[in-house]
Amino acid sequence: MYSMIQSGALHGVQAYPVCVEVDIAAGLPGFSLVGSLSGEVRESKERVSVALKNAGLRLPPSHITVNLSPADCRKEGTAFDLPIAVGILQSMGAFRENPCSAELIADTLFLGELGLNGEVKKVRGVLPIVREAARRGISECVVPAANALEGAVIPGIAVRGVSHIRQLLDYLKGAGSEEEKERLLPRAQVDLKEIFREGADDGEEDFAEVTGQETAKRAAEIAAAGFHNLLMTGPPGAGKSMIAKRLPGILPPLTLEESLEATAISSVAGTLPEGSALVTKRPFQSPHHTISHTALIGGSFLPRPGIISLAHRGILFLDELPEFRRQALDGLRQPLEERRVQIARVGGNLSYPSNFMLVCAMNPCPCGYYPDRNRCKCTQFQVNKYLGRISGPVLDRMDLCVELRPVEIGGLQGKQKGESSREIRKRVMRARKRQMKRFAGSGCRFNGDISAADMDRYCPLGTAEKRLMEELYRSLRLSARAYHRILRVARTIADLEEREAIEESHILEASFFCPAKGSWKGWEDADGD
C-alpha cells in the first residue's frame, strides 16, 4: 500500500518541500530508504522501527520502501523520522477507522526526530520550514513540542506540538472536528506583543557605568544610529570591551521581520533555546580570537551558519583584533560588502545572510601601552608587525576609528555618572525614525547600508561641503570606499542633530573618526619614526 506525507528540508536558511513516499509490498522483509540521503537520514529506519515497536506497533513482515522526493536534493538531519513513521502507519492501515484521517494527513506537514522509546525530539530549522509551508497553503504542521512555539509565530498556519508517537497516533485515529483536534493535540499559541515586551524588560548593561571616554561614547552613538562598523584602540583597561558590551542597549529594537530573520538563522544553526519562540534582542556575538575561518564565516563538510550569520541584524564584536587569524579576518571582506556570505561546496552553493555591525577592539602593541615608553618595552619592529596583522582592506571597511586613553583617577573616584543608555537610545531612535522615512520602499534600513550608487540621492552636498570633501580626499589620501564612508557617517551625524542637509561640521566630525587617519600613524609621528 502506498502513502505520501508532506515534510520539509533546508538549503542554507531557505526551506523547500519534501514528499515522503512510503510503499509496503509483499516480498522479503526489508526496509529501504532512497533519495540522496545523509548518514543521519539513512539511520532513520533503525530509529523508526524501534520507536514503533516500543510504542506497541510492530512493522509487518513486508518490504518497505521509503523515497524522499525530490531525489536529486541531498537530505540532512533527523527531522524525517516522524513523517516516515506516519507514512508507514498510514500504509499499514493504522488510521482506517477514522474517515477523516486521509484528508487530515494530506493537509499536514510533519517534522520530528524519534527516540527509541517513541519520544519526539527537538530538530533544527522548524521556523523556515513552517514559514515555507504557510506560503504554500498548508493548513497545519505537527512538530516536536520543544519546537512548537518557534513555529507558532508564523501566521496563517496551525502548529501542533507532539511529545510522543503514541500521542500523535491517538490524534490521527480520533481527530475529526476542530474541537476534537484541539482536545487531542492543541495548537501552540504565542503572544508576539508579550514576547517582545519580555525581551525589552531584560536587564542590560548601562553606559552610565562607563567613566570618561566621551569621544568613544560619541563614536558608539554614531555607530548605533547608522549601523556603522566601529574600531576602538587603546591600552588594557581603558573601557573598550565595556563600551562594546553596552552597544546593544542603545541599538534600535528588532522589528518583527528582523526578528524572524535572526530566529530562522538560530533555528537552522540549532542555537535557539528550547521553549523560545523568537529572538527579540539584537544578537551580540563575541568569538574568541582562536576561532577558525570556517567557524567564523560558516561552511564545513556539513554546511552550517557561522558566527557572522548568527550576528545577523546585530553586533559582531572582535576583541583583541590583531590576535585573530589573518585568513579569518580577510574572510570578512566580502560579507561586509555584500551583507551575505556565499559558501561553495561540491554538493552545491549556499548563501547565508550576514548583515551585522562589526565592532572591534585592539591594543596598540603586544604589551598594550604604546606609545607610553615608560611602560611599553616593545620595539618598533614588534609594534609594526603587530599592527600589520590587520590588512588594509579590512581597515578600509571600518566606518569609525576611535582611540581611548587611560582613565584619570579623578574620573574613577567621582560620584557623577555619565549619560545613561536610555538617554542615548532616545537620540538613536529619533535618528532611526528619520532613516525609516528616508529609506521607505528601498532596500536600505540604515545609513550604513547606503550604496555608492545611491550617494547622490541620500547624501547630497552643497557647494561648500563638496569643496571640503575635495580637500579631505587629497589631504587624507582617501580611497573611494573611504570617501563614501565619510559621507555615510556624516549623514548619520546630521540625523542625530535632526538636520536634513549634511553640513561642514558633520563632515569634519565624520573625518575625525575616519580610519584613513590611522591612529597608529599618529603614534609613529609622535614617536619620531
Side-chain angles (χ1 to χ4, degrees):
M1 186 174 176
Y2 170 85
S3 63
M4 186 181 72
I5 310 298
Q6 296 190 83
S7 189
L10 297 167
H11 183 76
V13 293
Q14 302 299 319
Y16 64 92
V18 172
C19 292
V20 179
E21 300 176 300
V22 180
D23 181 77
I24 298 180
L28 291 175
F31 196 145
S32 301
L33 276 172
V34 296
S36 186
L37 313 176
S38 65
E40 62 267 26
V41 181
R42 287 195 296 269
E43 293 167 354
S44 289
K45 58 184 180 181
E46 280 76 20
R47 290 193 297 270
V48 170
S49 300
V50 178
L52 291 178
K53 175 183 72 70
N54 289 331
L57 300 163
R58 291 192 175 275
L59 298 182
S62 307
H63 188 80
I64 301 173
T65 304
V66 178
N67 176 46
L68 273 58
S69 175
D72 60 342
C73 296
R74 185 170 176 79
K75 322 299 187 307
E76 297 176 350
T78 56
F80 298 109
D81 292 2
L82 195 62
I84 290 172
V86 173
I88 291 174
L89 292 173
Q90 187 180 33
S91 296
M92 289 168 52
F95 316 125
R96 211 175 271 127
E97 62 267 27
N98 182 5
C100 300
S101 64
E103 182 180 351
L104 176 63
I105 292 173
D107 201 29
T108 303
L109 182 143
F110 295 88
L111 288 172
E113 176 186 343
L114 287 177
L116 298 184
N117 60 351
E119 177 189 3
V120 182
K121 298 183 177 181
K122 180 180 179 181
V123 294
R124 297 184 299 106
V126 167
L127 177 63
I129 293 175
V130 172
R131 196 175 193 179
E132 178 65 16
R135 191 184 71 82
R136 291 178 176 271
I138 296 174
S139 62
E140 296 196 4
C141 283
V142 174
V143 301
N147 296 112
L149 293 179
E150 174 188 344
V153 300
I154 304 300
I157 189 167
V159 177
R160 305 182 189 276
V162 62
S163 56
H164 197 277
I165 188 65
R166 286 296 322 181
Q167 184 184 10
L168 179 59
L169 185 63
D170 294 340
Y171 170 74
L172 295 176
K173 280 184 174 180
S177 65
E178 287 296 323
E179 292 77 12
E180 288 175 329
K181 289 182 182 180
E182 293 299 317
R183 179 179 61 83
L184 293 169
L185 204 64
R187 71 176 67 189
Q189 302 282 352
V190 294
D191 185 342
L192 293 179
K193 290 184 179 179
E194 182 62 27
I195 291 172
F196 277 95
R197 190 181 301 115
E198 290 176 357
D201 292 339
D202 291 344
E204 290 178 328
E205 297 175 287
D206 201 319
F207 260 97
E209 301 163 359
V210 181
T211 303
Q213 307 298 3
E214 296 304 322
T215 304
K217 286 193 280 188
R218 172 64 172 172
E221 180 180 341
I222 296 170
F227 221 62
H228 300 291
N229 300 326
L230 173 64
L231 171 63
M232 295 179 285
T233 62
K240 304 184 294 295
S241 297
M242 284 186 70
I243 291 173
K245 291 176 181 178
R246 283 155 179 76
L247 268 168
I250 64 173
L251 284 173
L254 285 170
T255 64
L256 177 59
E257 184 61 30
E258 289 175 332
S259 179
L260 288 173
E261 290 176 13
T263 306
I265 295 170
S266 294
S267 176
V268 171
T271 59
L272 190 68
E274 187 170 335
S276 296
L278 277 175
V279 173
T280 56
K281 297 175 69 176
R282 291 203 177 269
F284 183 88
Q285 296 291 333
S286 180
H288 193 262
H289 63 261
T290 57
I291 189 171
S292 68
H293 174 269
T294 300
L296 182 65
I297 305 301
S300 83
F301 178 71
L302 298 175
R304 295 283 186 274
I307 291 293
I308 64 172
S309 295
L310 291 172
H312 181 64
R313 300 298 179 192
I315 294 174
L316 174 65
F317 176 46
L318 302 183
D319 201 4
E320 305 295 344
L321 183 65
E323 301 295 341
F324 283 80
R325 294 181 175 92
R326 180 70 174 265
Q327 183 190 20
L329 291 181
D330 285 343
L332 294 174
R333 289 156 61 175
Q334 180 250 353
L336 285 172
E337 287 293 318
E338 300 182 8
R339 303 297 186 180
R340 61 178 49 251
V341 57
Q342 303 285 341
I343 298 173
R345 294 291 183 270
V346 174
N349 297 330
L350 300 177
S351 177
Y352 293 117
S354 57
N355 190 351
F356 56 89
M357 174 180 164
L358 179 61
V359 179
C360 303
M362 59 177 286
N363 295 327
C365 68
C367 75
Y369 296 105
Y370 185 80
D372 184 355
R373 285 305 189 185
N374 293 323
R375 304 182 69 182
C376 177
K377 305 303 180 185
C378 300
T379 66
Q380 191 61 45
F381 174 78
Q382 289 174 316
V383 174
N384 293 340
K385 182 179 179 181
Y386 181 76
L387 298 177
R389 295 177 184 175
I390 307 170
S391 66
V394 171
L395 181 63
D396 204 35
R397 285 167 171 81
M398 305 305 299
D399 298 327
L400 299 103
C401 180
V402 62
E403 180 186 347
L404 284 73
R405 296 294 188 183
V407 181
E408 300 294 335
I409 185 64
L412 293 174
Q413 294 180 342
K415 295 183 179 180
Q416 185 176 1
K417 285 192 173 184
E419 201 173 20
S420 69
S421 293
R422 184 184 296 272
E423 294 168 335
I424 299 173
R425 190 177 193 179
K426 289 179 181 178
R427 293 196 297 271
V428 170
M429 287 302 300
R430 286 197 295 268
R432 174 61 181 137
K433 287 179 181 178
R434 296 178 71 89
Q435 293 172 60
M436 288 177 65
K437 184 178 180 181
R438 179 183 304 122
F439 300 135
S442 70
C444 294
R445 301 197 187 194
F446 297 93
N447 289 331
D449 295 332
I450 300 175
S451 65
D454 292 328
M455 280 294 164
D456 291 339
R457 177 183 178 186
Y458 296 123
C459 303
L461 299 178
T463 304
E465 287 76 24
K466 287 182 179 178
R467 187 165 52 248
L468 176 58
M469 283 302 300
E470 290 174 5
E471 294 174 4
L472 290 172
Y473 187 83
R474 294 190 180 96
S475 61
L476 297 179
R477 291 178 293 180
L478 300 176
S479 65
R481 184 183 288 115
Y483 175 87
H484 293 140
R485 182 176 60 238
I486 289 178
L487 290 181
R488 292 189 194 99
V489 175
R491 175 72 272 169
T492 301
I493 295 171
D495 288 340
L496 284 169
E497 296 184 2
E498 301 187 36
R499 302 290 181 85
E500 188 57 37
I502 298 175
E503 301 173 3
E504 290 181 278
S505 60
H506 306 146
I507 294 174
L508 289 171
E509 185 176 5
S511 66
F512 172 78
F513 293 114
C514 178
K517 292 174 66 176
S519 54
W520 48 83
K521 294 179 184 177
W523 296 332
E524 291 169 1
D525 293 340
D527 200 41
D529 294 319

